[in-house]
Amino acid sequence: MQNQSTKKLIEQLKHNDEITRKFFDIEKRILSILNYKDLFEVLLSEIKLKFNMPYAWISIIEKSELFNFIESLETSETVKKRINIIDKKTFYNLVGTKTTPLLINDDLRAFSKLLPRHEKHRIRSIAISPISLDGEIIGSLNQAHISPGHFKPGLDTSSLEQLAVKVSFCLSNVTAHEKLKFLAYSDPLTGLLNRRAMENALKREFNREKRYHRMLSVVFIDLDDFKSVNDIYGHDRGDELLKYVANQLFNISRDTDVVARFAGDEFIFILPETSAASTKILMNRLKDYFTSHPLNTAGTSIPVSISFGVASTEDKSIENSALLLKKADEMLYKAKAARNASSIEK
């Protein structure tokens, strides 16, 4: 009898050591990752592989800092399917504000908003491990099983809690890295891409157009009489005008388009798979919009007027992205000259 008990104890210790080793292996894999896509893909895939876990996913609280970053980044379909967005009130009602993992194998219907959308009927037990970003809970790392006994309340959750701590640490590292990338490639005033990022994007899109024989149009945009806005209304209002124009450009753009601030009051609009004719129609609509929608700020109405030049790869003399941008700049110069000539005549 004693030998049997000793044997069971040894087996349990071996089992515990094996679980600890697997968790440690996962931690080693994720600690050096510096982007969300790879972090989530590796973390969730490793959990499913090492523990033969049917379901592993992450819940993110809506409007949290992590949610805002995830929304703005390109993520794979695999990642999107494994992220569950939940509002803050619902999350805290279900999970609470403690960082201790929860094990549930009864009345799972109450946790339906936390479960994977298409697999709720198969899940019989779940482990919910809260994760945080810079001290604030922003969601949870979740695992689920088809066996009710797999995550039975009362089981030791120390390994789950340790992994959640490591995931939280990784999230802090990745977020800090993503913020640095954002600052390196974005314009601090408007939030649009800066010139450096735009040139990289344009080169990429131009090469893609050449490879797949698709159209690509570029617009060079300039604000008319911007200096007089600064002189009359002040530089703060000038900054507001730049942000106003940037927002409208962003609002009319598609997911595949690129909007950037080139310099000063100049913007670049890159439109893949769009002809020059279609681009001009779009830009004239935007021009009309600004004419009828001045910037209203601090009790002042500031007129908004833009000029633009369009270039397209339909022009077969354009051999690279730099020439495409130069051509759009030349067309802008002609548009500005025509506008100035028209103003003189009046």
Side-chain angles (χ1 to χ4, degrees):
M1 189 74 175
Q2 189 174 1
N3 288 339
Q4 222 172 13
S5 298
T6 302
K7 186 177 180 181
K8 283 184 178 179
L9 178 60
I10 292 173
E11 287 176 354
Q12 184 62 46
L13 289 172
K14 286 182 178 179
H15 177 69
N16 292 343
D17 285 343
E18 180 67 11
I19 290 176
T20 301
R21 184 187 63 77
K22 288 179 178 179
F23 274 114
F24 181 68
D25 288 344
I26 294 173
E27 290 169 12
K28 283 197 302 182
R29 287 290 311 276
I30 65 174
L31 282 172
S32 60
I33 296 175
L34 289 176
N35 67 82
Y36 292 117
K37 176 179 175 293
D38 291 345
L39 174 61
F40 292 149
E41 285 188 350
V42 171
L43 171 65
L44 299 175
S45 297
E46 284 291 300
I47 287 174
K48 295 186 74 172
L49 178 65
K50 290 189 179 296
F51 295 101
N52 196 25
M53 189 63 57
Y55 309 103
W57 74 101
I58 286 176
S59 293
I60 298 177
I61 295 175
E62 192 175 18
K63 305 295 173 61
S64 64
E65 185 175 4
L66 180 59
F67 171 83
N68 294 333
F69 264 103
I70 295 297
E71 283 288 281
S72 65
L73 296 172
E74 291 185 8
T75 52
S76 67
E77 286 303 313
T78 304
V79 169
K80 288 178 181 177
K81 289 177 182 176
R82 295 181 179 182
I83 291 180
N84 164 274
I85 304 300
I86 185 168
D87 69 90
K88 189 173 185 177
K89 183 178 180 181
T90 302
F91 182 87
Y92 281 129
N93 283 341
L94 293 173
V95 182
T97 58
K98 295 182 180 179
T99 57
T100 308
L102 294 178
L103 304 181
I104 304 108
N105 66 351
D106 187 33
D107 193 19
L108 296 182
R109 287 177 298 177
F111 291 84
S112 62
K113 291 186 177 180
L114 204 65
L115 301 179
R117 186 179 303 170
H118 303 297
E119 306 292 348
K120 297 179 182 180
H121 64 285
R122 300 193 62 200
I123 293 173
R124 294 293 178 268
S125 63
I126 56 175
I128 304 171
S129 305
I131 53 178
S132 60
L133 180 60
D134 299 330
E136 179 182 354
I137 293 176
I138 45 80
S140 58
L141 170 61
N142 313 302
Q143 301 174 56
H145 207 277
I146 57 176
S147 168
H150 196 88
F151 291 119
K152 184 169 62 176
L155 294 176
D156 181 25
T157 61
S158 57
S159 293
L160 290 172
E161 187 169 4
Q162 181 181 337
L163 179 60
V165 169
K166 292 294 170 54
V167 171
S168 298
F169 176 77
C170 289
L171 285 174
S172 292
N173 282 346
V174 171
T175 301
H177 186 71
E178 293 291 354
K179 283 180 178 178
L180 286 174
K181 282 204 303 184
F182 178 79
L183 291 173
Y185 290 102
S186 67
D187 171 57
L189 176 66
T190 64
L192 300 179
L193 293 181
N194 59 23
R195 180 172 176 173
R196 173 187 174 192
M198 178 278 297
E199 288 175 343
N200 289 336
L202 180 57
K203 187 179 294 184
R204 181 186 68 237
E205 292 299 334
F206 188 90
N207 291 338
R208 183 179 296 168
E209 184 276 336
K210 287 299 180 186
R211 187 179 303 118
Y212 299 109
H213 306 290
R214 295 172 178 172
M215 288 182 291
L216 174 67
S217 291
V218 172
V219 189
F220 216 123
I221 303 161
D222 179 82
L223 273 63
D224 298 325
D225 304 319
F226 181 66
K227 183 178 182 301
S228 65
V229 173
N230 282 329
D231 292 341
I232 297 170
Y233 303 102
H235 288 278
D236 287 344
R237 300 290 85 81
D239 286 349
E240 287 186 44
L241 178 58
L242 290 172
K243 287 189 281 188
Y244 179 60
V245 172
N247 287 338
Q248 295 308 316
L249 279 168
F250 185 79
N251 289 338
I252 67 168
S253 68
R254 305 163 299 181
D255 289 342
T256 54
D257 297 336
V258 175
V259 187
R261 184 182 179 193
F262 187 75
D265 60 331
E266 297 175 325
F267 297 88
I268 301 295
F269 198 6
I270 302 172
L271 298 95
E273 299 188 39
T274 308
S275 67
S278 296
T279 301
K280 288 174 184 177
I281 291 172
L282 176 64
M283 293 308 301
N284 279 317
R285 285 177 184 166
L286 182 63
K287 191 178 177 73
D288 291 341
Y289 175 87
F290 284 133
T291 300
S292 58
H293 293 79
L295 170 64
N296 294 307
T297 176
T300 303
S301 181
I302 303 176
V304 184
S305 176
I306 63 170
S307 294
F308 64 88
V310 175
S312 168
T313 52
E314 294 165 284
D315 181 348
K316 298 307 177 184
S317 66
I318 297 174
E319 299 178 347
N320 55 57
S321 60
L323 288 175
L324 183 63
L325 188 62
K326 184 180 179 182
K327 181 69 174 180
D329 189 22
E330 290 172 358
M331 299 307 292
L332 170 63
Y333 179 81
K334 289 182 180 180
K336 296 287 280 189
R339 179 182 180 275
N340 292 335
S342 177
S343 298
I344 292 170
E345 288 176 7
K346 291 178 182 179

